[in-house]
Amino acid sequence: GLAGFGDPFSTNNNNTGYLEGIGIYCPGSGGSTVIPYIANSFKDKIVYRLGSKNGEGSEMGQSNPEFPYGMPCPNSIESENNLVVCYDCSGFVRQVLSCAGFTKDPGMGTAIIFGKGSEEIKKCKDNMINDIKVNPGDLIGWPASGKLDNQGHLKNDGHVLIYSADSTGPYTISESHGIRSYPPAKAYAATDICTYIKSKGPGTKKDVQHFYIKRLGTY
């Protein structure tokens, strides 16, 4: 594990040195202008762990034929190429915001991030949502539905992504999605914002009924 690794928004946060040491850009300042560079630097460095908000995580008690979820993160494999961090979706966006110097926490999970009064996405074109320009640091996603499927599992877990493009495009959102095994660390993904919304919307396999945006300055 990491000695003293802390939540990105806590006073005992010592994540920056480790992140920088494995090639993740974490200047601790710069605001929305540096978010594209911070988010993209997580490529090949991040592993998904449900519930991990600080870079460590194990999901102990669950198993996977390829790797146990409990494989230490950061790991103990003797190779610099295998050094990783572990975050779930909201853990990742919170760390990106913290690395950019933001001090206001958008929330530890999608139920808080996309809580009551959230702006629903009705229209998406290029880098405009609801006819308003999207800015790096805006959060896009949906809260968990609370409904169960036939197996008793949550029908739709919530998810959050961060807008990580500059003003010229491509109009991408970045995420930590559920790829748990490593090496290689493949939980990071970046996708065109409107294509993503369309691919997960009503009638698709994911069947997300309502997407929301939380814009910088509203958290």
Side-chain angles (χ1 to χ4, degrees), residues 106-181:
M108 273 213 184
T110 55
I112 302 166
I113 294 168
F114 302 116
K116 201 175 174 184
S118 291
E119 180 186 347
E120 187 173 349
I121 296 174
K122 300 285 192 184
K123 187 177 175 186
C124 182
K125 187 176 184 203
D126 297 332
N127 63 340
M128 307 280 283
I129 283 180
N130 300 340
D131 295 322
I132 300 167
K133 190 170 163 292
V134 186
N135 292 297
D138 289 353
L139 305 180
I140 287 105
W142 65 93
S145 67
K147 293 175 183 171
L148 302 179
D149 63 17
N150 298 333
Q151 283 80 46
H153 300 126
L154 264 181
K155 196 170 183 180
N156 212 330
D157 295 332
H159 195 51
V160 58
L161 308 91
I162 188 165
Y163 187 67
S164 61
D166 59 26
S167 57
T168 59
Y171 310 121
T172 51
I173 42 177
S174 297
E175 63 179 323
S176 172
H177 62 151
I179 299 175
R180 292 169 166 88
S181 59

Side-chain angles (χ1 to χ4, degrees), residues 21-166:
I22 66 167
I24 292 169
Y25 182 50
C26 190
S29 62
S32 59
T33 56
V34 295
I35 281 175
Y37 309 104
I38 293 167
N40 290 326
S41 72
F42 277 86
K43 188 174 186 289
D44 301 324
K45 304 287 185 187
I46 187 170
V47 178
Y48 185 88
R49 290 286 183 274
L50 182 63
S52 178
K53 310 298 180 188
N54 68 351
E56 296 185 286
S58 64
E59 293 187 54
M60 294 302 279
Q62 299 192 54
S63 61
N64 177 307
E66 193 177 354
F67 280 105
Y69 291 179
M71 188 175 179
C73 182
N75 65 40
S76 53
I77 297 171
E78 294 297 320
S79 165
E80 279 189 22
N81 298 327
N82 294 330
L83 291 171
V84 298
V85 279
C86 286
Y87 295 93
D88 65 9
C89 63
S90 60
F92 167 69
V93 301
R94 290 170 78 246
Q95 184 65 68
V96 171
L97 288 167
S98 175
C99 283
F102 292 98
T103 54
K104 285 194 80 176
D105 186 354
M108 273 213 184
T110 55
I112 302 166
I113 294 168
F114 302 116
K116 201 175 174 184
S118 291
E119 180 186 347
E120 187 173 349
I121 296 174
K122 300 285 192 184
K123 187 177 175 186
C124 182
K125 187 176 184 203
D126 297 332
N127 63 340
M128 307 280 283
I129 283 180
N130 300 340
D131 295 322
I132 300 167
K133 190 170 163 292
V134 186
N135 292 297
D138 289 353
L139 305 180
I140 287 105
W142 65 93
S145 67
K147 293 175 183 171
L148 302 179
D149 63 17
N150 298 333
Q151 283 80 46
H153 300 126
L154 264 181
K155 196 170 183 180
N156 212 330
D157 295 332
H159 195 51
V160 58
L161 308 91
I162 188 165
Y163 187 67
S164 61
D166 59 26

